[in-house]
Amino acid sequence: RRTARDRRRAPFRNHHPRAAIALAEVHGLRAYDAVQLAAAVDRDNGRIALGMSAATLVSADQELNAAAVMCGLVVGDPNLHP
């Protein structure tokens, strides 16, 4: 039986490192930001393929947010909600 905690955790898939490298090069991201974005794009694509609503990337990092928007993700910046 899956718990709520299991559903929140995104698996790290083998293609994430390759995708992260490409995203880092295209958007000039730091390594950890590129990995986070690769996982978010993968999760978003999976949700959309299942007919679910788009995932939201929550980040206060403006460079990461800009790259995420360019990748078609919905972005939530916690600094905009005091």
Side-chain angles (χ1 to χ4, degrees):
R1 176 179 156 111
R2 293 180 59 169
T3 66
R5 182 177 174 181
D6 294 331
R7 287 189 293 272
R8 287 193 305 256
R9 193 176 325 147
F12 191 81
R13 299 196 172 120
N14 289 335
H15 63 274
H16 286 169
R18 289 187 299 278
I21 291 168
L23 289 167
E25 290 173 351
V26 169
H27 299 289
L29 295 172
R30 294 176 298 269
Y32 285 125
D33 291 338
V35 170
Q36 182 179 357
L37 182 55
V41 168
D42 182 59
R43 173 58 62 105
D44 189 57
N45 290 340
R47 290 178 59 85
I48 291 170
L50 293 172
M52 300 170 70
S53 62
T56 300
L57 174 72
V58 178
S59 169
D61 184 315
Q62 295 307 306
E63 292 174 358
L64 176 58
N65 290 351
V69 168
M70 291 179 73
C71 290
L73 294 178
V74 176
V75 174
D77 185 339
N79 290 327
L80 300 177
H81 307 282

